[in-house]
Amino acid sequence: MIDEQRLRRTFLDLVAFNSPPGEEREVSRFCAEILRDAGFVCQFDPAGNLIAQKSGAIASVPRIFFSAHTDTVQPTAGLVVQERDGVFHTSGDTILGADDKAAVAAILEAVRVLDERGIDHGDLQVILSTGEEVGLIGARALAPSVIAGSIGFVFDASGTTGAIITAAPTQETLDVRVQGRAAHAGFAPEKGVSALQIACRAVANMRLGRIDAETTANVGSIHGGTATNIVAQEAVIQMEARSRNPETLEAQVAHIRSCLDEAAAFYGGQVEITQAREYEGYQWAVEDLPVRLAADAWRRLGREPTLRPTGGGSDANVFNARGVPAVVLSCGYVDAHTFNERVPLADMVAAAEWAVSIAQTVAAL
């Protein structure tokens, strides 16, 4: 049913838009035109999220929504797409933006097919969010009433199409301000307390990277000081910890805090820690409705799904925290956020087929 060449053109049109977080307007307008042609009523909320709705012929089944995000990490300015053996790459100077425009293209193709083929379905929404890559901003800003009572299918996982994400972590971010004492580095360094030295000792003592199968921690940046001849009075550390196990996450954050406090005490400085819960984790069982629907829909296509957890967050974390059941599905992109990012056209075709099959599976409830 999928028009492979149309899907190919749609993907190439999408990645031609440079849409870093906060600059998604043009790509979202492009998507709205396609959705309107497929019979959807479209609106934009104050956060720039595109909300498209279409009433279905079958009123007795649950309303569902397909979701993806229109922003990408950087850089994408000057992106040049190379297609080799059915796989889309870049020239190696930018990322591709298949995270998550491969999903957007697949969803757009799916709703076109549903419309053109006259396939009966229930009430259907498409939610294309903004600012996903910088803290799930669009999903957080989405009015809860928009998706209340729905079941969500979020196409935003890497790897070959056909994977269902059954668990995702909770993430804590820590913004740390380290206070030392300034002094002239040449005349009287002993009168100073280096904030950078405190920061470095703390980080050196931390368990970072892969902590266990469910837990990771990372220091994203350290910066501070003003000149080589001044003992640094202040430093800032930005870091995170995430885990699918709440107790392990709590222990990892406590460990990070302990390292910071110890380093400050050792050198005679101070640390101020601002901690924030970025998103809540979730876990689905095989028999839970969103997983079961996605799995049954994939089997309708003659394929067996893969169920796996993830270490990443997505808009589904926000939806699930609000009590709206949502499951994340893979859509084919690989090595996201790197210059080696790529996606096979065949995987986008499969993702579009999956979305159509989900609509049909729900319609048969």
Side-chain angles (χ1 to χ4, degrees):
M1 292 187 292
I2 303 303
D3 186 333
E4 184 173 312
Q5 288 307 308
R6 179 173 63 186
L7 175 53
R8 175 184 176 276
R9 291 192 301 271
T10 300
F11 176 71
L12 291 174
D13 286 340
L14 288 167
V15 296
F17 290 98
N18 185 29
S19 57
E23 299 180 26
E24 304 96 339
R25 179 174 297 182
E26 292 305 314
V27 68
S28 296
R29 285 177 175 173
F30 171 85
C31 295
E33 290 182 10
I34 293 174
L35 288 161
R36 290 189 184 103
D37 288 343
F40 285 77
V41 176
C42 297
Q43 61 179 324
F44 292 93
D45 70 7
N49 296 311
L50 171 55
I51 304 160
Q53 306 186 66
K54 185 176 183 179
S55 297
I58 305 174
S60 59
V61 299
R63 182 177 64 176
I64 65 172
F65 65 91
F66 298 131
S67 181
H69 61 89
T70 53
D71 64 312
T72 68
V73 298
Q74 292 300 286
T76 55
L79 184 151
V80 176
V81 179
Q82 297 180 352
E83 189 175 357
R84 301 192 296 273
D85 299 324
V87 180
F88 296 101
H89 305 254
T90 73
S91 61
D93 298 317
T94 69
I95 60 118
L96 179 61
D99 174 12
D100 198 25
K101 289 178 179 176
V104 176
I107 290 170
L108 293 176
E109 177 61 25
V111 298
R112 281 166 152 168
V113 169
L114 289 170
D115 181 59
E116 293 166 352
R117 297 295 184 97
I119 297 172
D120 287 340
H121 57 81
D123 291 349
L124 178 61
Q125 289 181 306
V126 173
I127 308 293
L128 300 182
S129 68
T130 58
E132 193 273 351
E133 296 288 7
V134 287
L136 315 179
I137 291 174
R140 292 176 185 278
L142 190 71
S145 58
V146 170
I147 56 174
S150 300
I151 302 171
F153 300 90
V154 181
F155 285 83
D156 191 16
S158 63
T160 301
T161 303
I164 302 170
I165 305 305
T166 55
T170 298
Q171 179 181 322
E172 295 280 351
T173 59
L174 297 95
D175 291 326
V176 183
R177 189 168 299 276
V178 183
Q179 291 292 335
R181 183 170 60 251
H184 193 290
F187 294 157
E190 62 278 353
K191 293 183 178 180
V193 174
S194 172
L196 283 170
Q197 197 168 19
I198 294 171
C200 290
R201 179 183 175 91
V203 171
N205 288 332
M206 289 178 189
R207 297 189 300 270
L208 297 171
R210 171 68 61 188
I211 309 303
D212 60 33
E214 299 179 300
T215 311
T216 61
N218 182 59
V219 174
S221 69
I222 301 177
H223 56 91
T226 55
T228 62
N229 62 349
I230 303 173
V231 176
Q233 180 167 311
E234 186 174 273
V236 174
I237 311 171
Q238 295 177 309
M239 59 185 309
E240 66 162 51
R242 60 178 79 184
S243 181
R244 296 190 297 272
N245 184 318
E247 293 180 357
T248 306
L249 178 61
E250 183 178 352
Q252 177 62 25
V253 171
H255 162 70
I256 289 170
R257 285 178 166 271
S258 175
C259 290
L260 290 163
D261 289 339
E262 186 278 335
F266 184 86
Y267 287 112
Q270 294 180 320
V271 291
E272 177 184 331
I273 305 170
T274 301
Q275 183 176 334
R277 176 67 54 90
E278 289 298 314
Y279 49 76
E280 296 285 347
Y282 62 86
Q283 186 160 352
W284 292 115
V286 175
E287 64 272 14
D288 288 332
L289 185 59
V291 175
R292 181 160 49 85
L293 289 171
D296 288 349
W298 192 242
R299 293 188 182 106
R300 283 174 67 108
L301 300 172
R303 303 160 185 171
E304 189 62 27
T306 300
L307 276 61
R308 60 176 171 86
T310 183
S314 73
D315 288 344
N317 288 72
V318 176
F319 302 148
N320 284 312
R322 291 180 175 177
V324 177
V327 66
V328 179
L329 309 177
S330 63
C331 53
Y333 61 76
V334 180
D335 287 341
H337 300 192
T338 76
F339 290 0
N340 195 39
E341 184 183 13
R342 59 201 182 277
V343 62
L345 178 58
D347 274 284
M348 287 191 282
V349 170
E353 291 174 334
W354 200 0
V356 171
S357 185
I358 289 169
Q360 292 175 308
T361 300
V362 173
L365 289 176

